[in-house]
mmCIF file of all heavy atoms in Angstrom:
data_model
loop_
_atom_site.group_PDB
_atom_site.id
_atom_site.type_symbol
_atom_site.label_atom_id
_atom_site.label_comp_id
_atom_site.label_asym_id
_atom_site.label_seq_id
_atom_site.Cartn_x
_atom_site.Cartn_y
_atom_site.Cartn_z
ATOM 1 N N ALA B 403 77.342 -4.441 -16.542
ATOM 2 C CA ALA B 403 76.805 -5.438 -15.626
ATOM 3 C C ALA B 403 76.038 -6.509 -16.384
ATOM 4 O O ALA B 403 76.159 -7.699 -16.112
ATOM 5 C CB ALA B 403 75.902 -4.751 -14.602
ATOM 6 N N ILE B 404 75.245 -6.054 -17.370
ATOM 7 C CA ILE B 404 74.461 -6.985 -18.185
ATOM 8 C C ILE B 404 75.395 -7.962 -18.895
ATOM 9 O O ILE B 404 75.182 -9.185 -18.885
ATOM 10 C CB ILE B 404 73.635 -6.207 -19.240
ATOM 11 C CG1 ILE B 404 72.601 -5.294 -18.556
ATOM 12 C CG2 ILE B 404 72.951 -7.171 -20.211
ATOM 13 C CD1 ILE B 404 71.449 -6.000 -17.939
ATOM 14 N N LYS B 405 76.422 -7.397 -19.494
ATOM 15 C CA LYS B 405 77.345 -8.234 -20.266
ATOM 16 C C LYS B 405 78.033 -9.253 -19.361
ATOM 17 O O LYS B 405 78.184 -10.416 -19.723
ATOM 18 C CB LYS B 405 78.388 -7.356 -20.960
ATOM 19 C CG LYS B 405 77.807 -6.717 -22.215
ATOM 20 C CD LYS B 405 78.886 -6.044 -23.036
ATOM 21 C CE LYS B 405 78.287 -5.395 -24.270
ATOM 22 N NZ LYS B 405 78.726 -3.986 -24.418
ATOM 23 N N GLU B 406 78.419 -8.813 -18.191
ATOM 24 C CA GLU B 406 79.103 -9.690 -17.252
ATOM 25 C C GLU B 406 78.207 -10.853 -16.831
ATOM 26 O O GLU B 406 78.640 -12.001 -16.786
ATOM 27 C CB GLU B 406 79.522 -8.886 -16.013
ATOM 28 C CG GLU B 406 80.771 -9.450 -15.378
ATOM 29 C CD GLU B 406 81.427 -8.426 -14.470
ATOM 30 O OE1 GLU B 406 81.506 -7.246 -14.894
ATOM 31 O OE2 GLU B 406 81.810 -8.804 -13.370
ATOM 32 N N LEU B 407 76.922 -10.516 -16.560
ATOM 33 C CA LEU B 407 75.960 -11.553 -16.170
ATOM 34 C C LEU B 407 75.726 -12.536 -17.314
ATOM 35 O O LEU B 407 75.669 -13.751 -17.114
ATOM 36 C CB LEU B 407 74.626 -10.923 -15.764
ATOM 37 C CG LEU B 407 74.551 -10.390 -14.331
ATOM 38 C CD1 LEU B 407 73.337 -9.493 -14.167
ATOM 39 C CD2 LEU B 407 74.518 -11.542 -13.329
ATOM 40 N N LEU B 408 75.622 -12.008 -18.523
ATOM 41 C CA LEU B 408 75.381 -12.868 -19.684
ATOM 42 C C LEU B 408 76.541 -13.830 -19.907
ATOM 43 O O LEU B 408 76.344 -14.968 -20.308
ATOM 44 C CB LEU B 408 75.189 -12.008 -20.944
ATOM 45 C CG LEU B 408 73.766 -11.448 -21.160
ATOM 46 C CD1 LEU B 408 73.763 -10.440 -22.295
ATOM 47 C CD2 LEU B 408 72.773 -12.566 -21.434
ATOM 48 N N LYS B 409 77.763 -13.333 -19.597
ATOM 49 C CA LYS B 409 78.943 -14.179 -19.771
ATOM 50 C C LYS B 409 78.945 -15.325 -18.764
ATOM 51 O O LYS B 409 79.261 -16.457 -19.081
ATOM 52 C CB LYS B 409 80.218 -13.330 -19.586
ATOM 53 C CG LYS B 409 81.244 -13.670 -20.669
ATOM 54 C CD LYS B 409 82.519 -12.863 -20.613
ATOM 55 C CE LYS B 409 82.441 -11.549 -19.937
ATOM 56 N NZ LYS B 409 83.672 -10.804 -19.740
ATOM 57 N N GLU B 410 78.506 -14.999 -17.529
ATOM 58 C CA GLU B 410 78.566 -15.977 -16.449
ATOM 59 C C GLU B 410 77.462 -17.033 -16.556
ATOM 60 O O GLU B 410 77.699 -18.206 -16.351
ATOM 61 C CB GLU B 410 78.480 -15.245 -15.100
ATOM 62 C CG GLU B 410 78.489 -16.142 -13.888
ATOM 63 C CD GLU B 410 79.854 -16.793 -13.667
ATOM 64 O OE1 GLU B 410 80.854 -16.297 -14.221
ATOM 65 O OE2 GLU B 410 79.917 -17.831 -12.957
ATOM 66 N N PHE B 411 76.240 -16.597 -16.860
ATOM 67 C CA PHE B 411 75.112 -17.541 -16.871
ATOM 68 C C PHE B 411 74.598 -17.733 -18.291
ATOM 69 O O PHE B 411 74.218 -16.776 -18.962
ATOM 70 C CB PHE B 411 73.973 -17.025 -15.980
ATOM 71 C CG PHE B 411 74.369 -16.891 -14.540
ATOM 72 C CD1 PHE B 411 74.695 -15.649 -14.001
ATOM 73 C CD2 PHE B 411 74.422 -18.018 -13.710
ATOM 74 C CE1 PHE B 411 75.053 -15.526 -12.677
ATOM 75 C CE2 PHE B 411 74.788 -17.895 -12.392
ATOM 76 C CZ PHE B 411 75.110 -16.654 -11.856
ATOM 77 N N ARG B 412 74.522 -18.996 -18.695
ATOM 78 C CA ARG B 412 74.141 -19.288 -20.080
ATOM 79 C C ARG B 412 72.627 -19.090 -20.319
ATOM 80 O O ARG B 412 72.221 -18.677 -21.388
ATOM 81 C CB ARG B 412 74.514 -20.729 -20.442
ATOM 82 C CG ARG B 412 75.997 -20.962 -20.371
ATOM 83 C CD ARG B 412 76.383 -22.218 -21.142
ATOM 84 N NE ARG B 412 77.251 -21.914 -22.262
ATOM 85 C CZ ARG B 412 77.037 -22.332 -23.497
ATOM 86 N NH1 ARG B 412 75.979 -23.083 -23.763
ATOM 87 N NH2 ARG B 412 77.852 -22.028 -24.463
ATOM 88 N N GLY B 413 71.809 -19.387 -19.294
ATOM 89 C CA GLY B 413 70.350 -19.345 -19.497
ATOM 90 C C GLY B 413 69.768 -17.941 -19.514
ATOM 91 O O GLY B 413 68.580 -17.765 -19.785
ATOM 92 N N LEU B 414 70.538 -16.934 -19.222
ATOM 93 C CA LEU B 414 70.016 -15.561 -19.196
ATOM 94 C C LEU B 414 69.720 -15.065 -20.597
ATOM 95 O O LEU B 414 70.446 -15.365 -21.545
ATOM 96 C CB LEU B 414 71.033 -14.642 -18.545
ATOM 97 C CG LEU B 414 71.067 -14.636 -17.017
ATOM 98 C CD1 LEU B 414 72.169 -13.720 -16.532
ATOM 99 C CD2 LEU B 414 69.734 -14.206 -16.451
ATOM 100 N N LYS B 415 68.623 -14.306 -20.683
ATOM 101 C CA LYS B 415 68.260 -13.756 -21.998
ATOM 102 C C LYS B 415 67.998 -12.270 -21.844
ATOM 103 O O LYS B 415 67.499 -11.807 -20.824
ATOM 104 C CB LYS B 415 66.981 -14.441 -22.506
ATOM 105 C CG LYS B 415 67.248 -15.780 -23.160
ATOM 106 C CD LYS B 415 66.050 -16.275 -23.953
ATOM 107 C CE LYS B 415 64.847 -16.606 -23.129
ATOM 108 N NZ LYS B 415 64.743 -17.928 -22.563
ATOM 109 N N ARG B 416 68.344 -11.540 -22.878
ATOM 110 C CA ARG B 416 67.960 -10.132 -22.887
ATOM 111 C C ARG B 416 66.453 -10.049 -23.146
ATOM 112 O O ARG B 416 65.923 -10.692 -24.042
ATOM 113 C CB ARG B 416 68.680 -9.389 -24.008
ATOM 114 C CG ARG B 416 70.025 -8.832 -23.604
ATOM 115 C CD ARG B 416 70.564 -7.993 -24.738
ATOM 116 N NE ARG B 416 72.001 -7.766 -24.583
ATOM 117 C CZ ARG B 416 72.486 -6.711 -23.922
ATOM 118 N NH1 ARG B 416 71.671 -5.826 -23.383
ATOM 119 N NH2 ARG B 416 73.796 -6.553 -23.810
ATOM 120 N N ALA B 417 65.780 -9.266 -22.334
ATOM 121 C CA ALA B 417 64.355 -9.072 -22.565
ATOM 122 C C ALA B 417 64.183 -8.077 -23.684
ATOM 123 O O ALA B 417 64.844 -7.046 -23.696
ATOM 124 C CB ALA B 417 63.674 -8.558 -21.294
ATOM 125 N N ASP B 418 63.357 -8.439 -24.652
ATOM 126 C CA ASP B 418 63.153 -7.469 -25.723
ATOM 127 C C ASP B 418 62.187 -6.384 -25.244
ATOM 128 O O ASP B 418 61.723 -6.388 -24.113
ATOM 129 C CB ASP B 418 62.609 -8.161 -26.983
ATOM 130 C CG ASP B 418 61.761 -9.345 -26.649
ATOM 131 O OD1 ASP B 418 60.936 -9.230 -25.711
ATOM 132 O OD2 ASP B 418 61.941 -10.398 -27.282
ATOM 133 N N ASN B 419 61.944 -5.456 -26.089
ATOM 134 C CA ASN B 419 61.035 -4.321 -25.896
ATOM 135 C C ASN B 419 61.343 -3.427 -24.690
ATOM 136 O O ASN B 419 60.564 -2.591 -24.321
ATOM 137 C CB ASN B 419 59.567 -4.754 -25.875
ATOM 138 C CG ASN B 419 59.090 -5.369 -24.545
ATOM 139 O OD1 ASN B 419 59.729 -5.236 -23.500
ATOM 140 N ND2 ASN B 419 57.961 -6.021 -24.610
ATOM 141 N N MET B 420 62.508 -3.622 -24.063
ATOM 142 C CA MET B 420 62.854 -2.710 -22.977
ATOM 143 C C MET B 420 64.139 -1.955 -23.308
ATOM 144 O O MET B 420 64.627 -2.008 -24.419
ATOM 145 C CB MET B 420 62.986 -3.467 -21.672
ATOM 146 C CG MET B 420 61.648 -4.053 -21.248
ATOM 147 S SD MET B 420 61.508 -4.230 -19.506
ATOM 148 C CE MET B 420 60.130 -5.348 -19.406
ATOM 149 N N SER B 421 64.680 -1.318 -22.321
ATOM 150 C CA SER B 421 65.817 -0.434 -22.587
ATOM 151 C C SER B 421 67.077 -1.205 -22.961
ATOM 152 O O SER B 421 68.085 -0.608 -23.293
ATOM 153 C CB SER B 421 66.083 0.417 -21.348
ATOM 154 O OG SER B 421 66.419 -0.445 -20.286
ATOM 155 N N GLY B 422 67.021 -2.518 -22.880
ATOM 156 C CA GLY B 422 68.201 -3.300 -23.187
ATOM 157 C C GLY B 422 69.018 -3.623 -21.960
ATOM 158 O O GLY B 422 69.949 -4.406 -22.010
ATOM 159 N N LYS B 423 68.636 -3.040 -20.818
ATOM 160 C CA LYS B 423 69.380 -3.312 -19.594
ATOM 161 C C LYS B 423 68.606 -4.271 -18.706
ATOM 162 O O LYS B 423 68.738 -4.268 -17.489
ATOM 163 C CB LYS B 423 69.656 -2.001 -18.841
ATOM 164 C CG LYS B 423 70.661 -1.137 -19.583
ATOM 165 C CD LYS B 423 70.794 0.211 -18.907
ATOM 166 C CE LYS B 423 71.508 1.200 -19.797
ATOM 167 N NZ LYS B 423 70.942 2.530 -19.712
ATOM 168 N N VAL B 424 67.756 -5.087 -19.332
ATOM 169 C CA VAL B 424 66.935 -6.025 -18.569
ATOM 170 C C VAL B 424 67.181 -7.443 -19.061
ATOM 171 O O VAL B 424 67.229 -7.701 -20.262
ATOM 172 C CB VAL B 424 65.439 -5.683 -18.697
ATOM 173 C CG1 VAL B 424 64.612 -6.659 -17.887
ATOM 174 C CG2 VAL B 424 65.179 -4.251 -18.263
ATOM 175 N N LEU B 425 67.332 -8.347 -18.093
ATOM 176 C CA LEU B 425 67.526 -9.752 -18.424
ATOM 177 C C LEU B 425 66.411 -10.577 -17.806
ATOM 178 O O LEU B 425 65.837 -10.186 -16.786
ATOM 179 C CB LEU B 425 68.864 -10.248 -17.852
ATOM 180 C CG LEU B 425 70.113 -9.576 -18.406
ATOM 181 C CD1 LEU B 425 71.318 -9.947 -17.544
ATOM 182 C CD2 LEU B 425 70.336 -9.988 -19.847
ATOM 183 N N THR B 426 66.080 -11.690 -18.436
ATOM 184 C CA THR B 426 65.092 -12.582 -17.820
ATOM 185 C C THR B 426 65.677 -13.978 -17.737
ATOM 186 O O THR B 426 66.559 -14.349 -18.519
ATOM 187 C CB THR B 426 63.788 -12.664 -18.642
ATOM 188 O OG1 THR B 426 64.070 -13.358 -19.853
ATOM 189 C CG2 THR B 426 63.226 -11.313 -18.946
ATOM 190 N N PHE B 427 65.175 -14.725 -16.753
ATOM 191 C CA PHE B 427 65.582 -16.146 -16.685
ATOM 192 C C PHE B 427 64.515 -16.932 -15.942
ATOM 193 O O PHE B 427 63.650 -16.359 -15.264
ATOM 194 C CB PHE B 427 66.942 -16.297 -15.996
ATOM 195 C CG PHE B 427 66.931 -15.924 -14.536
ATOM 196 C CD1 PHE B 427 66.733 -16.916 -13.564
ATOM 197 C CD2 PHE B 427 67.117 -14.602 -14.121
ATOM 198 C CE1 PHE B 427 66.733 -16.576 -12.218
ATOM 199 C CE2 PHE B 427 67.122 -14.273 -12.787
ATOM 200 C CZ PHE B 427 66.924 -15.261 -11.817
ATOM 201 N N LYS B 428 64.583 -18.253 -16.103
ATOM 202 C CA LYS B 428 63.637 -19.112 -15.403
ATOM 203 C C LYS B 428 64.359 -19.847 -14.285
ATOM 204 O O LYS B 428 65.492 -20.283 -14.450
ATOM 205 C CB LYS B 428 63.028 -20.118 -16.388
ATOM 206 C CG LYS B 428 62.091 -19.445 -17.378
ATOM 207 C CD LYS B 428 61.038 -20.428 -17.881
ATOM 208 C CE LYS B 428 59.878 -19.688 -18.490
ATOM 209 N NZ LYS B 428 59.584 -20.019 -19.856
ATOM 210 N N GLU B 429 63.669 -19.956 -13.168
ATOM 211 C CA GLU B 429 64.211 -20.628 -11.993
ATOM 212 C C GLU B 429 64.669 -22.047 -12.322
ATOM 213 O O GLU B 429 65.643 -22.557 -11.777
ATOM 214 C CB GLU B 429 63.124 -20.658 -10.899
ATOM 215 C CG GLU B 429 63.480 -21.447 -9.655
ATOM 216 C CD GLU B 429 64.185 -20.609 -8.601
ATOM 217 O OE1 GLU B 429 63.468 -20.026 -7.773
ATOM 218 O OE2 GLU B 429 65.425 -20.552 -8.603
#
Side-chain angles (χ1 to χ4, degrees):
Chain B
I404 296 288
K405 281 190 181 130
E406 210 161 317
L407 278 166
L408 277 171
K409 224 178 337 174
E410 178 70 18
F411 298 101
R412 297 198 117 231
L414 279 178
K415 278 194 294 274
R416 271 186 197 270
D418 31 43
N419 79 16
M420 295 208 196
S421 62
K423 290 173 194 141
V424 181
L425 297 168
T426 69
F427 66 94
K428 290 207 162 122
E429 174 89 89

